[in-house]
Amino acid sequence: MDYYEDLKADKTERHAYYYPTHYSTPGFVVFFLVRRIPEFLVKLQNAVFLPTDRVFRSMEQTWYATVNNGPDVKELIPEFYGTDIGFLVNSEKLELGVTNEGEVVDNVVLPEWARNPSDFLIKMRAALESNYVSANLHKWIDLIFGCKQRGDQAVLAQNMFYPLTYEEHVRWNEVRNAYERAALEVQVTEFGQTPVQLFKGPHPARVVRLFNLDPSIEGSETEQLLVKKLKVATKEVERLHLELEKAGNEQMKKISDQMRELKDLELRNAGHVDKVKEEHKNDCLLYTSDAADDLLCVDLGGRRIIKKK
C-alpha cells in the first residue's frame, strides 16, 4: 500500500501501481516448466540457467516467496491440474545446481501430504473442484477478467500492475525511434499483459454440486470423497488400458496365425498345381466349333480336349 501511495505522490509518475511485475509472463511459465522445456529457459535467460536459488525447487519454497514477497505474484499454470507429472520430475537429469546447504536440485520437492507426483496432481485437481474454490472462484474472475481489473475497484482491491501491462497504455504511435520500439516490444512480449476486460459488473458465484452430494457436507469431506473417486477412476482406466492391450496382442496373434495358415495353404496349392502340370504336360487345348466334333473329342461347351496319338 505504501508503494502505491509513494508512486501516487510522485508527480513524475503518470500511473501509480502496486506491483512492478505481472501474474502471467513467459518467465513464470518456463520457471515452472524448467524440467520439461529447459531450452526455453536458457533462451529467455541469454543461454544460462537461473541462479540455483531462483530455480523451481520446491512447492513450499515457491508458496512462501509468493505469499511474503510483494512483487512475486506468479500464478500456477494449468499443468498443476493435469495428469502429466513430467514438469515435476527431472527425468533428463539436468544439472540444476546445488543449494547453499549443499542440496542437489533434482525433482521438485512436494508437500508432505503428497505421496508422489501423481498423488500431488490428483489432490490439486480435487482442490480445484472443491466447494471452497467453487464458492470463491468468481472473486478471482473479478480480479483477472472483471470489474476489479481496472478503475477504482482495482485500486480498492490493490490489483494495479505496471502500466505497460495494460493495452491502453501501450501507445505504438508515440514511439520515437527503433530503440524505444524494441524496448516496448520486449516489455509486451516478456513481462506480461493484462487480458481484455470481459465483465463490468461482479461475476456471479458458481453453483455446483459435486457428484450430486448433499451441499451440507463439509468441504474437507467432499475433497476426500472426490480424491477417493478419482483414485478409483484412475485404477479403472489402467485396468481398461491393460485389457485393451491384452486384447490387441491376442488379436495380433490371431491375425499372425491366419497369415501363417494362408501361407501354408498357398504353398500346398502351388505344389498341387506343379503336380497337375506334370501329369498333363503332353495334353493340349484345341478350341474348335461344334462342327468339328468327332469321337476323339470331349465336348466341354465349345472346347475340345484331344489326346495326342
Side-chain angles (χ1 to χ4, degrees):
M1 189 68 175
D2 292 339
Y3 183 75
Y4 173 82
E5 293 298 335
D6 290 342
L7 289 176
K8 190 176 180 180
D10 187 351
K11 302 302 182 180
T12 62
E13 287 288 342
R14 297 174 58 185
H15 305 282
Y17 51 91
Y18 289 98
Y19 311 106
T21 57
H22 202 257
Y23 47 82
S24 180
T25 70
F28 290 161
V29 174
V30 297
F31 167 81
F32 286 122
L33 297 181
V34 59
R35 292 164 179 81
R36 169 54 60 81
I37 47 173
E39 64 274 16
F40 281 61
L41 182 61
V42 170
K43 182 177 181 180
L44 193 65
Q45 298 296 326
N46 296 322
V48 296
F49 272 127
L50 288 170
T52 302
D53 59 349
R54 294 173 60 189
V55 171
F56 178 36
R57 183 167 64 89
S58 76
M59 288 303 303
E60 180 181 3
Q61 181 188 56
T62 303
W63 168 261
Y64 181 87
T66 303
V67 172
N68 295 280
N69 183 5
D72 189 346
V73 292
K74 66 172 68 73
E75 288 195 342
L76 297 182
I77 58 178
E79 280 76 3
F80 280 94
Y81 309 100
T83 58
D84 188 352
I85 65 172
F87 75 105
L88 299 171
V89 180
N90 187 17
S91 58
E92 299 295 331
K93 299 304 177 184
L94 301 171
E95 296 182 2
L96 300 175
V98 181
T99 66
N100 293 331
E101 294 77 22
E103 177 186 354
V104 177
V105 179
D106 192 24
N107 298 334
V108 175
V109 180
L110 301 174
E112 293 181 357
W113 46 260
R115 295 192 303 273
N116 51 56
S118 295
D119 183 61
F120 173 71
L121 294 184
I122 287 175
K123 290 175 178 176
M124 289 293 288
R125 292 198 300 276
L128 183 64
E129 296 296 337
S130 68
N131 285 348
Y132 177 82
V133 172
S134 294
N136 291 276
L137 185 61
H138 62 289
K139 299 177 182 177
W140 176 82
I141 294 175
D142 287 343
L143 291 170
I144 306 301
F145 299 102
C147 61
K148 295 181 181 179
Q149 185 198 83
R150 287 169 164 81
D152 294 339
Q153 292 195 56
V155 175
L156 292 175
Q158 299 184 19
N159 192 43
M160 298 295 293
F161 297 88
Y162 186 67
L164 290 180
T165 62
Y166 297 91
E167 182 181 10
E168 61 268 24
H169 297 318
V170 180
R171 300 184 176 91
W172 298 103
N173 59 329
E174 296 182 6
V175 173
R176 292 171 295 184
N177 52 57
Y179 175 79
E180 287 187 0
R181 174 171 288 276
L184 193 56
E185 288 176 350
V186 170
Q187 169 65 43
V188 170
T189 57
E190 296 189 10
F191 293 93
Q193 282 288 285
T194 300
V196 174
Q197 188 176 23
L198 301 179
F199 311 106
K200 300 297 184 180
H203 196 280
R206 181 184 184 191
V207 179
V208 65
R209 183 178 297 179
L210 299 177
F211 299 107
N212 294 321
L213 295 174
D214 185 344
S216 64
I217 296 178
E218 293 295 329
S220 58
E221 295 180 7
T222 301
E223 293 163 9
Q224 292 174 7
L225 183 57
L226 178 59
V227 170
K228 183 177 180 180
K229 286 182 175 291
L230 285 171
K231 288 181 179 179
V232 172
T234 301
K235 289 182 179 179
E236 180 65 12
V237 170
E238 292 175 351
R239 183 186 68 80
L240 291 174
H241 176 75
L242 290 175
E243 288 186 1
L244 287 172
E245 185 177 8
K246 180 180 178 182
N249 291 337
E250 291 177 352
Q251 184 67 17
M252 289 299 296
K253 184 177 183 300
K254 184 177 180 180
I255 293 174
S256 179
D257 292 341
Q258 291 175 344
M259 292 295 293
R260 190 179 300 108
E261 291 177 1
L262 288 173
K263 186 66 175 177
D264 292 342
L265 180 60
E266 182 181 354
L267 292 174
R268 288 197 299 270
N269 288 339
H272 178 70
V273 169
D274 291 340
K275 183 178 179 181
V276 171
K277 287 181 177 180
E278 179 64 26
E279 292 176 351
H280 298 280
K281 63 181 180 180
N282 293 323
D283 297 347
C284 67
L285 282 176
L286 179 63
Y287 294 87
T288 67
S289 66
D290 292 337
D293 198 5
D294 57 45
L295 295 177
L296 298 178
C297 300
V298 179
D299 188 352
L300 294 177
R303 285 186 284 180
R304 310 293 185 270
I305 298 180
I306 304 175
K307 273 287 191 179
K308 285 185 177 180
K309 294 181 180 181

